[in-house]
Amino acid sequence: MDYRILGPLEVFDRERALSLGGSRQRALLALLLLHPNEVLSTDRLLDELWGEQPPESGPKAVQVLVSQLRKALQDGSGAESPLVTRAPGYVMRVAEGELDRDRFESLVEQAGAEKEPEARARLLREALGIWRGPPLADLSYEEFAQPAIARLAEARLAALEARIDADLALGRHSALTGEVDELVTQHPLRERLRGQLMLALYGSGRQADALAVYQDGRRRLVDELGVEPGPELRQLQKQILAQDPALPAARTEPAGARLASKRPRRRRGLLALTGVVAVAIAAVVAALVVDENGEAEPIVVTPNSVAVIDPGTNRVVDSVRVGDSPGPIEASDNALWVVNINARTLMKIDPAARSVVGSVAVPVSPGRNTPPLQLAVAGEEAWVWACHLTLYRFDPSVHITEELEIFRDTGAFPPFSCAVTAEPGTIWAPVDYPKSEIVRVEARPETPAFISDRFPAPRGERSAMAFGAGSLWLADNEGGAVRRLDPDTGAIAATIRLGDGPTAMAYGAGAIWVASDVGDSVMRIDLRTNSVVRAISVGADPVALAVGDDAIWVANSGDGTVSRIDPATNQVTETIEVGHRPLGVAVADGLVWVTVRS
C-alpha cells in the first residue's frame, strides 16, 4: 500500500487509487496515519473526530466508521485490512516505506549524513519531490490535523533550506536568486532564508541587492517583533560590506545578460495564503543564467511550475512553483488561477509579484471515478468544473462560496464530456447523462448561481468550448465537428467539420482558433463564413490556446514547446522551449504563463 499525506490524503494499492469515502471517514484515516502502528483508544478517536459534540451512540459511531474504512481500504480485494482492533481501540498497521512522510524523512536523514553537497542536493530534491502540495490539504479544517500540518510544513521548509545550502556550496548562486527571493517573500521573518538570498545575490555579483535584502529584513524584524537580526545575519552583512574572501567570489554579469520583464519585480509584504498551509518548494532560477563566456543560457523550468514567457523577447524569464501536475490556467482581473490536477487544488497567482497568493483544496475525493477538473473565470471569480458533476465557485480571496450540483454521481461512467466556458454572469458546461445537453448557469456577482437552461445537444463527447462573437462554440472529440450555438436558445447556427482530435478552443483576433492533437495543428475558423480558412502546423500534441495582443499562444504537450502564431499572417513565428509537459497557457500582465507538469 502507498499512503500519502504530503498533499491531499490518498491511498494507492499499487497503481490503483482507493476511494476513501466521506469527510469523517477520511479524517479517521488521517488521524490513524499520523500515528501509524500506534493504538489509538476509542475515547481519543471520539474526542479528536467530534470534539465537544460527540454523537449519542459514542463508541458505536466509532465502530461503524472503522468498519466503513476497513471496507474502503480492502476495496473488494479480499485482503486483510491494515486497520485492526486492539484494546482499548484501533491501530493502523503501516509497513516500512508505505507512508510518504516516512520516505521523506528517511531521504532527509540520508542527505544529512552525506558529506558531498552534490549528493545532499540530489537526495533532498528527491525528498521534496515526494510532496504533492500542502500536507493533508483536504483536511486542513480538522482541528486534530493542524499541529501535524504545521510540523510537516516546517519539516518541508527546513529540507528546502538544506537543499539551498547544498546548491550554494556548489556555486549555483545565479540559479537560486529567483527561487529564494520567492521564499523570502512568503517567509519574510525567516532569517536563514534571508541569509541564503543575500549569499545568492552576492555570489551573482549583486552586492548592493544583497545588502538591501538585509536592510529590508532588519526593518521588518524591528517593526513587527521589536528585535534586531540575529548574530549570523549581522555577521553576513559585515562580510559582504568588507567583501570577505571567505564568501563566494562575486561575478559581475554583463548589463545586457539579464532579461527585463514588462514590469520590474517588487518586494511585497507577507502574503496571506488562504485555506491551507502553502510552502514553496524547489524551482529553477527565474532569470537568465550567464556562463563563463558571458553567453545567456536558456532557463530550465522544473515540473509542477508555471513558466513565464516575455513576448517581447520570446524567452522564459521566470518560473512560479505551484502544485502537483498543474493543468488548466486562466486569467481574471489582476490574477491568474491554476488547477493542480493530481493535488486537486486551486491556486491564485499575483502576476505582478509572480507568486502564489492563495491555495485551496477542491473537495473532490480521489479514486477510479474521480472526475477531471476544468477551469473557467468570470470577472474576479473562478469556477472549477468537476466534469459532469459539480461546479465550485471561488471568490477573489480563494474561498469556496458555492457548490452547484449539475448531475448526481451514480457510479462509474464511460468517457464523458469535459469542457467549460464562461462570460461574466454565465457559465456553460456539457453533460452526457441521462441525455446530451448543454447546461447554462446564471452566476451573477453576489447572487446564488442556478441552472437557467438545459439545451439539447447532438450526441458526442465535448472536448472544448469557447464563447465569442456572441456565440457559444462546442468541439466534439470524435468526428471533429465544431458547432456554433445561439447562447440564449441553444439553436445550432453552423456546424464546421474538422476531423478527429480537437483539444482546445479560443476566441480572439477576429476568429475562433481550434487546436488538434491528431494533426498537430491549429485551425482558424472565419466568423463570417463559418469555415476553416487555414490549418497551421504547430508542435506535438497541442492542448491549450490563449490569445494575446498580437499573437495566438499554443501549449504543445508532446514536445515541451509553446508555439507563437501571428494572426496577421497565420504563421508560427516562434517556438519556445519550456520542457516537460505543458498543459495550459494564459496571457496576463503583458506576459505569457504556461503550466508545466512532468
Side-chain angles (χ1 to χ4, degrees), residues 501-512:
T503 56
M505 280 200 298
Y507 166 74
I512 288 289

Side-chain angles (χ1 to χ4, degrees), residues 259-463:
L259 289 179
S261 65
K262 288 273 187 176
R263 183 177 299 186
R265 298 197 58 177
R266 66 177 189 269
R267 300 210 57 77
R268 293 169 58 87
L270 181 62
L271 300 176
L273 298 182
T274 306
V276 294
V277 178
V279 181
I281 62 175
V284 176
V285 60
L288 284 185
V289 178
V290 177
D291 65 17
E292 295 178 356
N293 299 318
E295 297 293 329
E297 299 176 352
I299 295 170
V300 178
V301 179
T302 57
N304 300 332
S305 299
V306 177
V308 186
I309 297 172
D310 181 352
T313 60
N314 294 312
R315 291 179 181 271
V316 177
V317 296
D318 213 335
S319 176
V320 181
R321 189 72 180 187
V322 287
D324 186 11
S325 299
I329 180 170
E330 295 284 343
S332 67
D333 298 338
N334 303 314
L336 284 154
W337 301 83
V338 178
V339 169
N340 300 302
I341 298 168
N342 287 351
R344 289 180 296 283
T345 55
L346 176 69
M347 287 184 170
K348 182 180 180 181
I349 294 174
D350 180 339
R354 301 184 198 168
S355 61
V356 174
V357 295
S359 179
V360 64
V362 179
V364 177
S365 299
R368 289 172 293 176
N369 300 325
T370 297
L373 302 179
Q374 289 288 355
L375 175 65
V377 166
E380 294 186 347
E381 294 182 316
W383 295 78
V384 174
W385 171 224
C387 289
H388 210 275
L389 299 177
T390 306
L391 267 171
Y392 298 96
R393 186 178 194 171
F394 298 83
D395 66 12
S397 62
V398 204
H399 284 107
I400 293 180
T401 59
E402 199 167 358
E403 298 182 18
L404 184 64
E405 184 180 272
I406 304 297
F407 184 84
R408 187 174 297 278
D409 188 356
T410 57
F413 300 105
F416 52 77
S417 296
C418 191
V420 67
T421 192
E423 65 164 339
T426 310
I427 313 293
W428 287 274
V431 294
D432 300 328
Y433 306 99
K435 55 186 177 180
S436 186
E437 294 179 318
I438 304 299
V439 174
R440 175 176 174 154
V441 175
E442 293 297 318
R444 303 192 182 281
E446 301 180 0
T447 303
F450 64 95
I451 297 173
S452 60
D453 289 292
R454 289 180 179 267
F455 302 136
R459 286 286 177 184
E461 181 186 334
R462 317 297 169 195
S463 54

Side-chain angles (χ1 to χ4, degrees), residues 516 519-523 534-540 542 554 556 563-565 570-575:
S516 171
D520 291 340
S521 61
V522 171
M523 284 154 281
R534 186 66 61 91
I536 306 162
S537 294
V538 291
V554 189
N556 305 307
S563 299
R564 177 176 184 160
I565 297 173
N570 295 323
Q571 299 289 327
V572 172
T573 58
E574 292 287 343
T575 299

Side-chain angles (χ1 to χ4, degrees), residues 96-182:
E96 183 178 355
E98 286 188 330
L99 182 61
D100 59 355
R101 180 192 65 185
D102 294 344
R103 298 195 297 272
F104 166 76
E105 291 176 347
S106 176
L107 286 166
V108 171
E109 185 177 355
Q110 292 176 49
E114 284 287 347
K115 296 182 179 179
E116 295 298 324
E118 185 67 56
R120 288 202 305 275
R122 175 180 52 80
L123 286 167
L124 288 165
R125 280 192 175 86
E126 184 179 350
L128 291 162
I130 294 173
W131 288 73
R132 298 168 292 110
L136 293 172
D138 50 341
L139 294 166
S140 60
Y141 55 85
E142 293 285 356
E143 187 173 347
F144 75 81
Q146 291 168 10
I149 287 172
R151 288 194 300 271
L152 290 168
E154 172 62 28
R156 182 189 194 184
L157 187 54
L160 182 53
E161 289 173 329
R163 198 228 78 217
I164 292 168
D165 277 340
D167 282 339
L168 286 169
L170 292 166
R172 297 169 178 164
H173 301 92
S174 292
L176 287 168
T177 54
E179 174 188 5
V180 187
D181 183 56
E182 291 286 350

Side-chain angles (χ1 to χ4, degrees), residues 72-91:
L73 292 172
Q74 289 176 297
D75 199 29
S77 64
E80 182 181 2
S81 174
L83 176 52
V84 298
T85 302
R86 187 170 298 167
Y90 304 91
V91 60

Side-chain angles (χ1 to χ4, degrees), residues 46 50 52-62:
L46 271 170
W50 281 278
E52 297 179 356
Q53 295 181 323
E56 294 182 2
S57 54
K60 180 65 176 178
V62 174

